[in-house]
Amino acid sequence: MKKLIGFLLGITLLLGAAYLGATYYMGIQTEQTLAHRSATLDKNTWLQVVSRQYERRWFDATETVTVQAHPQVLAKVKDSLPEQLQTLLNEPVTLVSHVRHGPLIGTLPARAQIETEFRFTPPAQKILKQFFGDAVPVTMRDIVQFTGGGTLQAEISKFDYQELSGIQIIWDGLTATMRYSTNYQQYDTDVRSPGLQLILADMGKVSYKDLSYRVHTEDTRPVATGNSLLNIKRLALSWQQDADYRLQLNDLINMVSDLQIGSFVNPTLSIPPSEVSLDDLSFSTSMALQQGFVSAGGKLTFAKLNYGDDLYDGLNVEVQAEHLNAEALAALKQKLADLSVQSGSADSWREEVLSAIRNEGAPLFTDNPILTLKNFSLNTPSGKIAVQGKMAFENLAAADLNDFNLLLPKVAADMSYEMPQQMIESFAQAQVRSLFAVADNADQSDLQDIQNTARLMVDNLLQNMHADGYLKLENGIISGTITLVKGQVLMNGQVVQRTDSSEIDEMLDDDKHFTDPSAASEPESAASAPDNPEQAASAATP
């Protein structure tokens, strides 16, 4: 009997010592896991780790990490953010993680359990209390398995915020789950939010329902690969007052070219009170790596878009990029991330971006990439739009990126299209309306006549191009092909004479030509169409 008791006591002591040893070992491994997590967090472009402390004991540990939005990034966007949100982003947040070491967490076998508490500064707490009341705004829990992988779960509480002014925010909360492998070599993230309603008193309302976002990421080198899927069941926007806007397309075009096209394509319009709703929006991406080259794709769809009384449905956009140099893509991505946290003017930032594309990103163009528009289709009130095409760079050198005349012959492109004539006419009318809206002394009573003139000019141009074989026009539907081969543009197989770029620059740099309403009213410039359809096609395709 004494021998049995002694034996059992020995086994108990041995198991106890083994458990204590295992607990100590689990503590060391968990510390390494959390150190890797903090290092990953510090690589984020938008956040920076201000400080980190780790206190490991035998059975448990405490990690304290303070993070803050990167000041340079915040400086670029703060002017467009509400004051309360600016305060929240300016304040640091301390994450206190309470760690329990395994190998047993209650009855659950695991390396560790981590409960993370978010501690906010007094100014941030004051703002959050207005929204969340006494509820805890954010919670996070992590179970680390013996392999080093685990499951992290986070939740943002829901709230109903109201002001006497009539502003109301109804937030249905958010949950996020991430399942990761050892050292985050692979991880799957699933984010879900039931809905949000933003009521702007008597101005309008913004809302969405059933948002989900799923991401699979593999930490491959030199670039991470994987796929993602964003779904929104319904997105709605309504406004009760006229909304004026000025879309600066000129700045966008000038950023990637030398064209200065002034106000002609900068619409200045007033949108009447209306409602917009989008149903079953879906956006997916994918990226794969093979033998040093990346293949990436994206797909955008929605079931229907209601804009006032107009219905658009069946959007399907699918694009693919192949044979992208992975090292260049990683270098360009890192360069853009570095630029995002640097201070400077918008002009200097633009120049830095273009320089990065021409330098770090040059191999993306010189390794013969292929860009494919697999499908673009949309049903509009005036008919269906369908476009397909492909573009490839062949034997391009880095120096060619600085000279358009050297670049163009090494680009091969082919596109087929189909679209309603009415849509082209409506676009031209919108441009004319934008042109005259820029001028304060424009006679708005004559605007409708000028728009009708623009529509007739477009119709005349399309009819001439159809007669000359540049496109097909049947029952109000325009269709055809556009091909670029060795610097030569062909429309439906017909060679298009390219207008010299200096002539285009001279014409477009003449601001008076586009901003003086009296110039647009001259019979020679506003009411006559080109006599030669080849010249018309060239002008329509600079």
Side-chain angles (χ1 to χ4, degrees), residues 2 5 16 48 64 95 103 138 149 166 310 332-333 349 364 391 393 448 458 471 511 526:
K2 291 182 179 180
I5 294 175
Q48 60 180 356
T64 304
L95 284 66
V138 187
D310 295 330
L332 181 60
K333 181 180 178 181
W349 180 84
L364 291 174
M391 180 172 66
F393 296 89
Q448 186 61 49
V458 171
L471 54 80
D511 293 338

Side-chain angles (χ1 to χ4, degrees), residues 83 162 367 437 458:
E83 183 178 351
Q162 298 185 49
D367 277 338
V458 171

